[in-house]
Amino acid sequence: MALLHQFMMEKGTVTYRSKFLQSDTYNANSIHNRIVISEFGTLALPDPCKNVFERFMSKFELPAMTDNTSVNYVQYKGDYYVSSETNFMNKVDIETLEKTEKVDWSKFIAVNGATAHPHYDPDGTVYNMGNSYGPRGSFYNIIQVPPEKVDLGDTIHGAQVICSIPSAERMKPSYYHSFGMTKNYIIFIEQPLKMNLWKIVTSKIRGKSFSDGINWEPKYNTRFYVVDKHTGQLLPGMYYSKPFVTFHQINAFEDQGCVVIDLCCQDNGRSLEVYQLQNLRKAGEGLDQVYNSAARSFPRRFVLPLAVNLNAPEGENLSPLSYSSARAVKQADGKIWLSYENLHSKDLEEQGGIEFPQINYGQFSGKKYRFFYGCGFRHLVGDSLVKIDVENKTLTVWKEDDFYPSEPVFVPVPGTNEEDGGVILSVVITPNQNKSNFLLVLDAKNFKELGRAEVPVQMPYGFHGTFVNI
């Protein structure tokens, strides 16, 4: 169940609070003292108080959609919501962590859900992506939400779909967790991590969770789509690369007629299979075997030339960017084959790769940048914080044995224009009962510790967070 955390810093004092999100799913599970609404990887079992016939027939009832929004904090029109990837979001009071309203995307636009990683324009306009399924097939929809409220009670009123991209396979659209955005373009990646809609729809009958319907199919290549976010027009370029999976984009920007997108990439898309409860409960050699079977995630850069001449020669690199070794080569069939540039040195392999990337978003999102921050993964959960310089490919690391930091949150120093002028915040937990969990504060420039606020309570490992200046 979604557990909201808050560290409030005021005049040198840090206070902590946490609260279970009072979602309808949480309340239903609490009343019955068991899981009654299925989650992504957890199947709700039939009521044990029913007889055999009633339990059998319950398998044919349509499953309720969870509103256990446990992935990320997002912002629309100045209000904060907690989001996952279903059609529900929960609006929360950012100071008290109280749920104030449940919002259903499908009441506003024809989508069956939206990501928990929207992008924000400087004026407050928000872009997101969500799927839709129907007789015409499956579509990846780009969503635009206006920046301001018309009425005080507005939530995502005025949201509209500005572009619908048909899935390559009607009943097997790709799973995606995030997308890229520059000043003028949205970049969507259709990867060979496929959602078998028939398996998902029949999961309850088959006694399987939703995640059982998601499969890695590397016989397909990965495709990049570029959409003009001002007109909603899908650009004609057909960009492909070898199969890979990405969950989090780092940043994207435009340069010399190209879109440059940086991603955390894995060459094996079976990560979702690794993070199952039966694997996480293992210890010793068993847990080591699970970790060794997991794909590592590394930062890569792709360059997509936008204006490709029909007479462009085949086999030549179309990228004009002298600072990147990424290649874009026109094939005989007109497709552009992309080869990536690694944005790291071998030192990152010693940290187990990197995930949960963060940048100085307010000043450098959609712009050429130099630094990003993330978690190193020498274990199944992050065990270090890493800063990477994408220009010279060096890294700086913070780690302590037996401690596991969450996603680094960059907070800029007020008034500075320096890209790494700020601090990194991360919630660090430990399984050691003799030590405390804490909020860590690092200088973003050199990763030297500026302070920590210890909290003598148990906390689960968390993924995404945000900083709010109240």
Side-chain angles (χ1 to χ4, degrees):
M1 294 290 94
L3 180 66
L4 311 182
H5 296 267
Q6 179 195 84
F7 289 86
M8 183 169 287
M9 293 160 277
E10 186 176 15
K11 297 179 180 179
T13 300
V14 180
T15 56
Y16 170 80
R17 78 169 75 194
S18 64
K19 184 178 182 65
F20 280 104
L21 176 68
Q22 301 298 299
S23 63
D24 294 343
T25 299
Y26 175 84
N27 292 329
N29 290 345
S30 298
I31 291 171
H32 293 87
N33 199 31
R34 64 185 182 88
I35 300 295
V36 297
I37 298 177
S38 294
E39 300 289 340
F40 178 74
T42 306
L43 177 68
L45 298 176
D47 187 343
C49 296
K50 292 182 177 180
N51 62 40
V52 174
F53 178 74
E54 289 173 326
R55 289 202 297 271
F56 174 76
M57 292 305 297
S58 69
K59 289 180 176 289
F60 298 92
E61 298 172 357
L62 287 175
M65 183 58 68
T66 179
D67 65 343
N68 176 43
T69 49
S70 59
V71 176
N72 200 9
Y73 285 91
V74 297
Q75 189 177 16
Y76 294 96
K77 302 183 183 182
D79 294 323
Y80 284 88
Y81 300 78
V82 280
S83 175
S84 56
E85 295 176 335
T86 70
N87 53 304
F88 293 120
M89 296 188 297
N90 285 291
K91 185 178 176 181
V92 295
D93 184 310
I94 203 65
E95 293 192 48
T96 66
L97 303 183
E98 293 284 348
K99 170 192 166 184
T100 60
E101 186 176 357
K102 183 165 83 169
V103 175
D104 184 348
W105 277 103
S106 66
K107 301 296 184 184
F108 297 89
I109 50 177
V111 297
N112 297 92
T115 81
H117 291 288
H119 278 292
Y120 308 93
D121 265 350
D123 69 351
T125 301
V126 185
Y127 292 87
N128 206 337
M129 290 197 64
N131 285 2
S132 59
Y133 315 108
R136 296 187 301 121
S138 304
F139 291 84
Y140 313 110
N141 302 293
I142 297 173
I143 305 163
Q144 182 188 70
V145 181
E148 297 178 352
K149 296 180 179 181
V150 176
D151 297 310
L152 189 62
D154 272 9
T155 55
I156 53 173
H157 295 74
Q160 60 178 328
V161 171
I162 63 170
C163 181
S164 293
I165 303 169
S167 168
E169 291 188 279
R170 292 168 58 91
M171 290 297 290
K172 289 171 66 176
S174 292
Y175 172 81
Y176 58 96
H177 187 71
S178 66
F179 60 98
M181 187 175 86
T182 69
K183 181 180 180 181
N184 295 299
Y185 301 103
I186 300 290
I187 306 97
F188 169 67
I189 297 170
E190 188 175 35
Q191 55 195 8
L193 189 59
K194 297 288 189 173
M195 297 189 296
N196 187 316
L197 297 184
W198 179 249
K199 278 189 173 183
I200 292 173
V201 169
T202 61
S203 59
K204 188 175 182 180
I205 299 172
R206 297 182 301 108
K208 300 289 186 178
S209 65
F210 298 134
S211 61
D212 179 68
I214 300 179
N215 301 292
W216 168 238
E217 299 188 15
K219 63 182 179 181
Y220 299 99
N221 290 320
T222 296
R223 182 172 181 180
F224 295 69
Y225 294 87
V226 182
V227 175
D228 186 317
K229 70 183 192 184
H230 305 298
T231 66
Q233 180 183 1
L234 177 65
L235 272 61
M238 297 182 291
Y239 308 95
Y240 289 85
S241 79
K242 72 174 189 177
F244 72 86
V245 161
T246 180
F247 293 100
H248 297 106
Q249 64 92 35
I250 303 167
N251 198 11
F253 57 92
E254 301 163 35
D255 193 13
Q256 299 179 49
C258 298
V259 161
V260 181
I261 184 166
D262 298 344
L263 309 162
C264 288
C265 300
Q266 301 174 11
D267 289 325
N268 185 328
R270 300 189 183 277
S271 301
L272 296 178
E273 300 172 16
V274 170
Y275 286 92
Q276 295 182 352
L277 194 56
Q278 62 265 36
N279 289 331
L280 298 179
R281 283 174 170 163
K282 294 179 180 179
E285 288 186 9
L287 189 60
D288 289 341
Q289 290 176 358
V290 173
Y291 171 74
N292 291 333
S293 70
R296 307 294 183 264
S297 180
F298 292 98
R300 295 171 179 171
R301 171 166 291 176
F302 293 87
V303 176
L304 286 64
L306 298 180
V308 178
N309 192 309
L310 293 175
N311 298 318
E314 296 173 13
E316 291 187 13
N317 183 18
L318 302 179
S319 169
L321 306 183
S322 59
Y323 57 80
S324 177
S325 60
R327 294 171 57 83
V329 176
K330 184 181 176 183
Q331 307 294 299
D333 57 5
K335 296 176 181 176
I336 308 300
W337 186 259
L338 304 179
S339 302
Y340 61 82
E341 173 193 4
N342 283 318
L343 294 179
H344 64 93
S345 63
K346 286 192 175 182
D347 292 344
L348 187 59
E349 296 176 11
E350 298 174 8
Q351 303 305 321
I354 192 168
E355 256 296 350
F356 304 142
Q358 288 288 309
I359 62 170
N360 181 344
Y361 191 94
Q363 292 180 305
F364 287 87
S365 175
K367 301 176 182 178
K368 193 173 182 181
Y369 73 111
R370 182 171 180 177
F371 305 110
F372 80 93
Y373 314 86
C375 288
F377 275 77
R378 294 184 306 162
H379 296 276
L380 283 176
V381 295
D383 70 332
S384 65
L385 294 171
V386 180
K387 175 184 180 179
I388 290 186
D389 183 327
V390 300
E391 290 186 4
N392 59 32
K393 301 181 182 179
T394 57
L395 56 85
T396 309
V397 178
W398 177 95
K399 61 185 173 186
E400 284 188 16
D401 291 341
D402 219 19
F403 284 95
Y404 302 89
S406 67
E407 172 186 73
V409 176
F410 180 87
V411 182
V413 171
T416 184
N417 291 321
E418 291 185 288
E419 184 178 345
D420 59 351
V423 298
I424 294 295
L425 302 179
S426 177
V427 179
V428 184
I429 65 170
T430 178
N432 191 325
Q433 300 296 315
N434 298 316
K435 297 179 180 179
S436 294
N437 305 316
F438 58 90
L439 175 69
L440 175 68
V441 185
L442 300 178
D443 186 322
K445 282 185 174 294
N446 53 29
F447 260 35
K448 289 185 177 179
E449 184 173 329
L450 299 178
R452 63 177 67 182
E454 295 187 342
V455 182
V457 298
Q458 294 298 311
M459 299 180 192
Y461 185 77
F463 298 118
H464 301 300
T466 189
F467 175 81
V468 180
N469 196 355
I470 299 177

